[in-house]
Amino acid sequence: MLSERRLEVLRAIVQDYVGTDEPVAVGSKALTERHRLGVSPATVRNDMAALEDEGYIAQPHTSAGRIPTDKGYRLFVDKLAGVKPMTAPERRAIQNFLDGAVDLDDVVGRTVRLLAQLTRQVAVVQYPSLTRSTVRHVELLSLAPARVMLVLITDTGRVEQRMIDCPAPFGETSLADLRARLNSRVAGRRFADVPQLVQDLPDAFEAEDRGTVATVLSTLLETLVEETEERLMIGGTANLTRFGHDFPLTIRPVLEALEEQVVLLKLLGEAGDSSMTVRIGHENAYEGLNSTSVVSVGYGSGDEAVAKLGVVGPTRMDYPGTMGAVRAVARYVGQILAES
Amino acid sequence: MLSERRLEVLRAIVQDYVGTDEPVAVGSKALTERHRLGVSPATVRNDMAALEDEGYIAQPHTSAGRIPTDKGYRLFVDKLAGVKPMTAPERRAIQNFLDGAVDLDDVVGRTVRLLAQLTRQVAVVQYPSLTRSTVRHVELLSLAPARVMLVLITDTGRVEQRMIDCPAPFGETSLADLRARLNSRVAGRRFADVPQLVQDLPDAFEAEDRGTVATVLSTLLETLVEETEERLMIGGTANLTRFGHDFPLTIRPVLEALEEQVVLLKLLGEAGDSSMTVRIGHENAYEGLNSTSVVSVGYGSGDEAVAKLGVVGPTRMDYPGTMGAVRAVARYVGQILAES
DNA sequence: GCTTGGCACTCAGCGCGTGCGAGTGCCAGC
DNA sequence: GCTGGCACTCGCACGCGCTGAGTGCCAAGC
């Protein structure tokens, strides 16, 4: 077990290292000067040697200072650092900025910009997921005798549409009937419950219409399932330029990961439940993100998280500040969604 | 006026410079070796001096080779290079890839990926614009006694929705009436024509409903106008890492521009009509893109362009190849849209 | 048994001088 | 007007030595 002071030394190292943009490692002398550790550089050196033995810090090259390892950051985040709360003006700014949103796209767009700006990193915001949402309304439009458009509206304001070619012409009356029956059954219900709720619906129709009704229903179910493949928005990629001084190699895989929404969704998905999650460096399953950290948290309109948001930045980041910003933004987005 | 041979020399310089990734300028000896110019290096040197006087090429530093200036690229694109057509296998690949798309988002998504991959640059695809589209259907849903949802469906498969709070409760009958009247007037019509077409619609309703009808109509018109602010999708940002060897400075403003959709839309908008447009370096109004070139072209489902797509890459790019890819993709996307 | 000051050692980064090579401009001759 | 020759220019890579921050170890002190 590490002594109290050694932990203090680790904290000091992380803070100093993160606090500057220079590619410089931090040494014992500088540490004692900037922090009131109450001991001499020599002592700190001993502690640093111990910390290095335990794998919390490392030397980039012999006779240089130390930099934190992923393990070191991990300890820092878990034990040494809290979440830095936003100041009151910051909170007001967040709220004001988000309050101006007019629709779901706008909410997500504003959130992503806000998060990127606050953290000066790349922001990722998942659209409220369909899985946990409920159906607000299902609309059926007849575009041609045997062509129907299905429009699905969710409680989070999301709209999905599908074109359906019917096996047989379908009259306006039947369509209106189906529309009414469908809505009375599924409106306000959770997506997951819809399949059972509509199962016996074709039975209520004339034989000639059953094929079409079945087609419409299966399209609806498909939409519910397929579109659970969730969308997301990213922003602040320009902040990648602040990454390291050894650019192309670091930045390229990150840009690639950001374009692969699948990767990002998996990343957010893996991040446990809705509580704040920090994945540091190699803790990220995706190789391209091995020198980045991902801070994410669930957000939702009620008690329950409907999606996640977060940022991805260099492992050398201000964890308390980033976590504070992410948490605050998630909270306010949740409020906005609950209101609308 | 430049002699035939001097133009040939310029072409050779551009081709050689663009053909390598090294930061090396191209010199007279190397030119004569790689191209059958039929003259000696000394002659080429004279020609190069002349080309430099005219501003088509420049020396990065004394006693180095020459590199093309923006003006040089301009001449190259206008007079010296054609559009390199795609090979048959490439065309098949494009078609196959785009054919798999299931909805509009998918078409745009696939297009952007395809374009990025083919050109190895950053791809930008504008969603089919609403301005030039026609209305396929307008749907009104009653969500609560005084709450109506407006859904607008365009011929390009785009769907926009708006929530409307009515000044007074609005019965289902009136709603159905309004829905029917609306659609009979605007279905199949161009957005631009809608305002006149619905102008006198409130007159057909009872006094108590007129306020609501007016509200609905103004929301519809707003949607038509506001949503003309067009959306776009970008991809292939990872290709930015191939930009220059002097990274951060070049790449940062480009990433920033790419995040500002307004900038990009303006960029595409400025690019004249629907024909292929190439904007080279400083020809781009936006400062951050002064060291990039933008190749764009309109695409559409019929004869008329409904939106634009293109790529942004370094001025040092393979113009014929890029133009070929952009043109081919635009053509096939147009086909796909026409079919659906 | 920690802590501390001292000391020898290491090594990345920097500035500087050198040589190389690609490229240029100019000129006289064909 | 083209060509070969020639002197000149410089960016770049390489090697060198210096400097300074930082380390590890050790013996003395609390």
Side-chain angles (χ1 to χ4, degrees):
Chain A
M1 193 47 215
L2 291 166
S3 75
E4 193 59 36
R5 196 191 57 228
R6 292 200 172 147
L7 291 176
E8 200 53 43
V9 170
L10 177 58
R11 161 188 279 143
I13 292 173
V14 172
Q15 285 176 351
D16 273 22
Y17 187 61
V18 163
T20 78
D21 276 347
E22 282 120 55
V24 183
V26 20
S28 54
K29 181 140 166 272
L31 265 193
T32 55
E33 280 165 4
R34 274 193 290 269
H35 301 266
R36 310 192 162 279
L37 294 170
V39 291
S40 77
T43 310
V44 172
R45 280 204 287 282
N46 290 330
D47 291 344
M48 286 167 96
L51 286 167
E52 183 166 12
D53 282 346
E54 303 283 337
Y56 294 112
I57 55 180
Q59 299 189 77
H61 29 255
T62 330
S63 93
R66 305 306 213 293
I67 61 174
T69 60
D70 289 352
K71 190 178 171 189
Y73 284 124
R74 174 88 276 160
L75 186 62
F76 176 79
V77 168
D78 289 347
K79 300 278 162 61
L80 302 175
V83 176
K84 187 168 143 215
M86 297 276 94
T87 64
E90 282 171 325
R91 288 205 302 274
R92 270 198 303 278
I94 293 175
Q95 200 155 15
N96 283 341
F97 188 65
L98 291 181
D99 268 344
V102 303
D103 66 5
L104 183 65
D105 273 328
D106 199 20
V107 171
V108 175
R110 279 165 185 258
T111 305
V112 94
R113 265 177 291 160
L114 182 62
L115 206 49
Q117 210 177 312
L118 284 173
T119 63
R120 307 204 45 176
Q121 279 159 358
V122 180
V124 181
V125 179
Q126 190 181 4
Y127 274 76
S129 139
L130 293 182
T131 336
R132 301 179 192 163
S133 317
T134 57
V135 176
R136 180 178 280 163
H137 187 88
V138 177
E139 185 57 34
L140 297 172
L141 315 175
S142 178
L143 300 179
R147 200 132 199 249
V148 168
M149 176 174 256
L150 169 76
V151 180
L152 170 71
I153 301 160
T154 78
D155 65 334
T156 48
R158 197 157 147 186
V159 178
E160 294 292 333
Q161 91 276 18
R162 283 286 179 285
M163 212 62 79
I164 304 172
D165 284 312
C166 310
F170 198 56
E172 272 295 347
T173 334
S174 309
L175 193 74
D177 189 20
L178 177 57
R179 182 193 295 130
R181 284 173 191 270
L182 248 183
N183 278 296
S184 73
R185 295 204 185 190
V186 304
R189 297 316 195 80
R190 301 184 140 250
F191 284 18
D193 303 333
V194 171
Q196 302 110 290
L197 293 168
V198 299
Q199 207 172 1
D200 59 342
L201 210 49
D203 302 343
F205 288 81
E206 301 292 331
E208 57 185 20
D209 283 341
R210 271 182 212 151
T212 297
V213 171
T215 309
V216 170
L217 290 181
S218 71
T219 305
L220 173 61
L221 299 184
E222 257 174 45
T223 309
L224 294 177
V225 175
E226 271 180 25
E227 285 299 306
T228 301
E229 74 173 39
E230 300 148 21
R231 289 167 54 211
L232 40 78
M233 190 177 276
I234 69 175
T237 46
N239 291 327
L240 284 174
T241 52
R242 303 185 317 112
F243 242 57
H245 303 258
D246 51 342
F247 260 88
L249 296 168
T250 328
I251 213 179
R252 158 134 239 186
V254 180
L255 276 172
E256 275 166 3
L258 292 177
E259 292 220 342
E260 278 307 321
Q261 308 224 331
V262 187
V263 170
L264 283 179
L265 286 169
K266 215 168 136 205
L267 206 70
L268 291 178
E270 278 169 358
D273 52 356
S274 70
S275 64
M276 174 106 55
T277 308
V278 181
R279 305 217 138 209
I280 298 166
H282 293 80
E283 296 170 7
N284 289 304
Y286 184 75
E287 202 175 341
L289 297 177
N290 274 349
S291 55
T292 67
S293 288
V294 180
V295 177
S296 62
V297 69
Y299 71 92
S301 51
D303 320 321
E304 206 169 348
V306 293
K308 298 200 176 139
L309 58 77
V311 304
V312 7
T315 44
R316 181 184 188 168
M317 73 162 67
D318 168 18
Y319 290 95
T322 304
M323 291 165 81
V326 168
R327 191 177 64 184
V329 171
R331 190 166 296 163
Y332 286 111
V333 177
Q335 280 183 20
I336 300 283
L337 288 181
E339 287 164 14
S340 65
Chain B
M1 192 48 212
L2 290 167
S3 77
E4 194 59 36
R5 196 190 59 226
R6 290 200 174 149
L7 291 176
E8 199 54 42
V9 169
L10 177 58
R11 162 188 278 142
I13 291 173
V14 172
Q15 284 176 352
D16 274 22
Y17 186 63
V18 162
T20 78
D21 275 348
E22 284 120 54
V24 182
V26 19
S28 54
K29 181 140 167 271
L31 264 193
T32 55
E33 280 165 7
R34 276 194 288 270
H35 301 265
R36 308 191 162 281
L37 294 171
V39 291
S40 78
T43 310
V44 172
R45 277 206 286 284
N46 290 329
D47 292 344
M48 286 167 96
L51 286 168
E52 184 167 10
D53 281 347
E54 303 283 336
Y56 293 111
I57 56 180
Q59 299 189 78
H61 27 255
T62 329
S63 92
R66 306 303 214 295
I67 60 173
T69 59
D70 289 352
K71 187 177 173 192
Y73 284 124
R74 174 87 280 158
L75 185 61
F76 176 80
V77 168
D78 288 346
K79 300 276 161 59
L80 301 175
V83 176
K84 187 168 143 217
M86 297 276 96
T87 64
E90 281 173 325
R91 288 204 303 273
R92 272 198 302 282
I94 292 175
Q95 199 156 17
N96 283 340
F97 188 66
L98 291 181
D99 267 344
V102 303
D103 65 6
L104 184 65
D105 272 329
D106 200 17
V107 171
V108 175
R110 279 167 186 257
T111 305
V112 93
R113 266 177 290 160
L114 182 63
L115 206 51
Q117 211 176 312
L118 284 173
T119 62
R120 307 203 46 178
Q121 280 159 0
V122 180
V124 182
V125 179
Q126 189 180 6
Y127 275 74
S129 137
L130 293 182
T131 334
R132 301 180 192 164
S133 315
T134 57
V135 176
R136 180 178 279 163
H137 187 88
V138 177
E139 185 57 34
L140 298 172
L141 315 173
S142 176
L143 300 179
R147 199 131 201 248
V148 170
M149 176 175 254
L150 168 76
V151 180
L152 170 71
I153 301 162
T154 77
D155 65 335
T156 48
R158 197 157 149 187
V159 178
E160 294 293 334
Q161 90 276 14
R162 281 290 179 284
M163 210 65 77
I164 304 171
D165 285 313
C166 311
F170 200 55
E172 272 295 344
T173 334
S174 308
L175 194 71
D177 188 20
L178 177 56
R179 182 193 296 131
R181 284 172 190 272
L182 248 183
N183 277 295
S184 73
R185 295 203 183 188
V186 304
R189 297 317 196 79
R190 303 185 140 252
F191 284 18
D193 303 334
V194 170
Q196 300 111 289
L197 291 167
V198 300
Q199 208 173 0
D200 59 341
L201 211 49
D203 302 344
F205 289 80
E206 300 291 331
E208 57 185 18
D209 283 341
R210 269 180 215 153
T212 297
V213 171
T215 309
V216 170
L217 290 181
S218 72
T219 306
L220 173 61
L221 298 184
E222 256 174 45
T223 309
L224 294 177
V225 175
E226 272 182 23
E227 284 301 305
T228 300
E229 74 173 40
E230 299 147 23
R231 289 166 55 210
L232 41 79
M233 191 178 276
I234 69 174
T237 46
N239 290 327
L240 284 175
T241 53
R242 304 186 313 111
F243 242 58
H245 302 258
D246 51 342
F247 260 87
L249 297 169
T250 328
I251 211 179
R252 160 134 238 185
V254 179
L255 276 172
E256 275 165 3
L258 292 177
E259 293 219 344
E260 279 306 322
Q261 307 224 331
V262 187
V263 170
L264 284 179
L265 286 169
K266 214 168 137 207
L267 207 68
L268 291 178
E270 279 168 0
D273 52 356
S274 69
S275 64
M276 174 103 57
T277 308
V278 181
R279 305 216 138 209
I280 298 166
H282 293 81
E283 295 170 9
N284 289 303
Y286 184 74
E287 202 176 342
L289 297 177
N290 274 349
S291 54
T292 67
S293 288
V294 180
V295 176
S296 62
V297 68
Y299 71 92
S301 51
D303 321 319
E304 208 170 346
V306 295
K308 297 196 180 148
L309 57 77
V311 304
V312 7
T315 42
R316 181 185 187 166
M317 71 161 69
D318 168 18
Y319 290 95
T322 303
M323 289 165 81
V326 168
R327 193 177 61 183
V329 170
R331 191 166 295 165
Y332 286 112
V333 177
Q335 280 182 21
I336 301 284
L337 287 182
E339 287 163 15
S340 65

